[in-house]
Amino acid sequence: MQRPPIFPPSPLARGAAFLGLAFVLATVATAPAWAVTGPQRVIAGRPDQLLPSVNGTYLIWTQDSEPFPNRFHAYGRLRGTTEIFRLNPAGTRGWTGGIDPDQDRAIYQQIDGRVSDLYTIDLGTLRRIKLPTPINTARWEWGPRISNAFYLFARDVSSTTTLFLYDRSTKTMEKLVSRDPTRYYTVPGAVGERYATWSVCGPVTCSAFIHDTGTDRTMRIPAPPGKARYAPVVHETEGMVYFVRSGRTCG
């Protein structure tokens, strides 16, 4: 089965995520005019749209099907235009993962029946390439993220969700964390040239983690008692970490 790519399935965590989103929008709305110009709608419509990624040329995102609810596909378009194309081919489903920083190439999850694998696609030619082993296996790979240095992704095997970090230069792979998916929702966050992040949500709260490939150390982002934290992203140039923090209940 396809796991929700952003929000954990528990009502607790989902409520916390919406609270965090409301805070971000409020901050943008009340910021000085010279700092931001406010959000601009780029995709509209009734179906859910999520997992956006952008570079200087293309925008990609995941969208539900209006005539067939819960059948998601990965889409893209050239910025400044309205013509939309699909990343995953006919007869499959798809979930976007991100755009390669130095190329007009995206990584995405392609689901064909009971098989889920990770692909890259040239956004100009729409040529797809299935990623090789040890990234793709007979198991369920999902949640891909991409940087110049790494691929970050999840794999479901029996009663375990495991996150892996694949070094694109050395072609080696490191296991970051494994959790029982019946008790914890473990989801990739973001990956850069040095840091990889993820979130783990259990029955009570959510925790956010950062892995430093330079020191091979993993840090759990601290939070006051009773506070959940998730969706961490590291701005490697600034040396800053951005994440959502909320209470245990919605609102």
Side-chain angles (χ1 to χ4, degrees):
M1 63 180 176
Q2 167 63 35
R3 296 176 179 278
I6 296 181
F7 302 131
S10 70
L12 162 65
R14 184 179 293 112
F18 281 117
L19 176 62
L21 176 60
F23 173 79
V24 171
L25 294 180
T27 301
V28 170
T30 58
W34 53 264
V36 292
T37 59
Q40 297 181 2
R41 181 178 295 178
V42 293
I43 301 292
R46 294 180 59 184
D48 288 340
Q49 299 125 14
L50 61 165
L51 290 175
S53 186
V54 67
N55 68 359
T57 308
Y58 290 96
L59 165 69
I60 64 172
W61 72 97
T62 300
Q63 183 170 308
D64 197 2
S65 170
E66 189 168 3
F68 302 101
N70 297 318
R71 186 177 297 179
F72 286 84
H73 299 291
Y75 291 96
R77 79 179 190 195
L78 188 67
R79 294 182 62 181
T81 70
T82 58
E83 185 176 353
I84 293 173
F85 56 87
R86 213 170 86 176
L87 277 60
N88 57 292
T92 68
R93 292 174 287 153
W95 296 76
T96 48
I99 299 179
D100 196 320
D102 287 343
Q103 303 182 50
D104 290 334
R105 182 175 60 183
I107 190 170
Y108 74 100
Q109 174 191 1
Q110 183 171 300
I111 304 169
D112 188 356
R114 295 180 177 273
V115 177
S116 175
D117 289 310
L118 306 184
Y119 284 74
T120 60
I121 181 170
D122 185 309
L123 296 173
T125 65
L126 299 186
R127 179 173 179 261
R128 304 174 184 90
I129 298 177
K130 181 179 176 179
L131 293 176
T133 54
I135 297 172
N136 280 317
T137 66
R139 306 298 184 174
W140 188 274
E141 281 80 29
W142 61 281
R145 308 290 185 261
I146 189 172
S147 71
N148 286 318
F150 300 103
Y151 297 131
L152 172 68
F153 66 97
R155 176 183 296 153
D156 285 354
V157 178
S158 184
S159 60
T160 303
T161 294
T162 303
L163 301 191
F164 291 96
L165 189 66
Y166 180 84
D167 189 310
R168 299 178 64 182
S169 176
T170 64
K171 298 185 179 356
T172 57
M173 197 161 72
E174 177 183 3
K175 182 171 70 173
L176 298 177
V177 61
S178 291
R179 291 288 186 270
D180 179 351
T182 64
R183 299 183 58 198
Y184 299 97
Y185 178 65
T186 305
V187 61
V191 67
E193 306 313 302
R194 177 168 177 169
Y195 298 96
T197 70
W198 64 90
S199 304
V200 177
C201 292
V204 177
T205 190
C206 296
S207 297
F209 296 85
I210 303 171
H211 179 74
D212 184 345
T213 63
T215 62
D216 198 28
R217 296 181 62 184
T218 298
M219 181 189 75
R220 180 179 179 180
I221 297 176
K227 297 292 185 181
R229 56 271 192 225
Y230 45 91
V233 177
V234 177
H235 192 305
E236 297 189 339
T237 303
E238 295 180 351
M240 299 292 291
V241 180
Y242 298 87
F243 62 96
V244 178
R245 192 181 80 183
S246 70
R248 293 182 177 179
T249 57
C250 183

